[in-house]
Amino acid sequence: MSKKDNGGLTVIFAYLNEKNRPYSAQDVFNNLQKQHGLGKTAVVKAMEQLALEGKIKEKTYGKQKIYFADQAQFAEVSEADLKAIDSRISDLSTQVQVISQGCRQLDTELKELNSSLTTEEMISEIQELKEVCSGYRENLEKIKSATNHVTPEQKEMAADMMGSILEGYPKTKKQFLEEVGVETDEDCKVTMPST
């Protein structure tokens, strides 16, 4: 066998001992192919050779062969040791859940912080808003200082008078306003600000 094949033997032997569970040649190929670049034929040959050498065990189920680590190499574990291992697994699983929950909370907090404004951005936005407010204040002062305001009462009275005149007027409202010399907001292209 070439050096690459020997490398495949070592990798596959270590993998089966580490995982200590049964695998088909296809399973081993799928699990090791990306990381080690082993071809399927090389994996099949390496596993057959390891089985022939007695380093791993082989069982045939129908047409499929299953390979697994030789269990004789592992020390026997007592029932008490198994219970201790199960208890340790349970404790570690609980710790994993607690840590995972903490990670999710921290991730949520991180997303909130990332979507928030920085202090510098907030200062800049406050400055921009102050400038906008200042412009609105100037416009408000100009409007308040104007002397040609029409009160709501005056506007209502003018509308009532115009309505009375238009009842007997033979032309349209627009023609009446032109004859009298009244300019509307539309005529002056004035648009009211939205509130």
Side-chain angles (χ1 to χ4, degrees), residues 166 169-181:
L166 287 173
Y169 191 71
K171 297 180 183 177
T172 65
K173 179 180 177 181
K174 186 173 183 175
Q175 289 172 331
F176 170 73
L177 293 173
E178 284 178 8
E179 284 182 22
V180 176

Side-chain angles (χ1 to χ4, degrees), residues 1 4-5 8-9 12 38-47:
M1 294 192 101
K4 186 173 184 179
D5 290 335
L9 288 171
I12 292 169
L38 300 174
K40 186 170 181 184
T41 305
V43 169
V44 171
K45 286 181 181 179
M47 293 180 78

